[in-house]
Amino acid sequence: LSLRARPLSHVSARRPPLVMTSASQSSSATTKKDKGGALAVNYGPHIKIGKKGTILNLWGLWVCIYAMFFAIIGFLYLKMRQIVSILLLGFLKPTPEHCCWIMHKWCNMVLRLGFSAPKVEGLDNLPSKDETVLVCANHMSWYDVPVLHGFLGGRLLWSFAKAELVKVPVLGTYMMSAEHILISRLSRKSQLESLKSAIKTLSLKRDVFIFPEGTRSLDGKLRDFKGGAFTIARKSGCKIVPVTILGNDNVFPSNALMPIRPGKGDMKMVVHPAIDPEGKTDEELMEATRIAIASALPNDKIAAE
């Protein structure tokens, strides 16, 4: 699962340093260039949490409140259905598809209410819904997950998630009920089991998405790919749909607990033509997918090889 990408001839452009400023009268962050040409981020009134000084401003607090409110509403509905199904001997029991639909609607609603619905291009590149696909996207922000869940042409997606997330109240119930694919990064055995679980999920006609980089890029730049995603595609026979995500790291950066401002006009998702795994090696699939994703990124969002 640890095959690395072949080198590509991309050159990373220099970009101005990020200068963090303190509070202002605005409830959300703003950006502007200072006299030296550096990009300054003004978070508005905010606090810093923990040793790393994670940012939470008023806009992020507002998003947190309404997102949790609707998550709890969905959770209570799910638990009621589960309780009623026990009383009715299994009738009305929510299926994994039903649970995944709840998450799909929650993600869509949270982004729309936060004025952060992304601009989506290339939806016509998606195969028909009766064809199961493996979606591969770059990972630059925590907002990437709701963007994919909520705006990929209405498709329900099953995702990889850290195994420890099942311990998180509300979220853990969703993850287990929807039968998302759990993985422990510290366990080689867990990684192999997650690969088998992903192939099984695809065989059940459930679309899966994965971040081939393996983890979130803290500076927003596209990093080397791991090989697991492409082994899954080859062994399952499902087409890969490369997706490029842009702008999410400016709205929900790595140093923030929640989004720092609305993302309308900045967030974008580009869907590329599907890649058929038939007759291709894992390395060929990896390179083709990386080239597709990188094609919609500016040079300063591609890490130097």
Side-chain angles (χ1 to χ4, degrees), residues 142-164:
W142 291 127
Y143 250 179
D144 300 341
V145 174
V147 162
L148 286 165
H149 267 300
F151 292 89
L152 197 66
R155 298 179 86 113
L156 300 183
L157 297 177
W158 276 257
S159 60
F160 285 78
K162 297 178 184 178
E164 51 267 31

Side-chain angles (χ1 to χ4, degrees), residues 77 83 100 112 116 135 145 160 170 183 186-187 197 233 244 302:
Y77 166 73
I83 292 172
C100 198
R112 289 190 184 279
S116 296
V135 177
V145 174
F160 285 78
V170 181
I183 182 172
L186 301 179
S187 170
S197 179
T244 305
I302 301 173

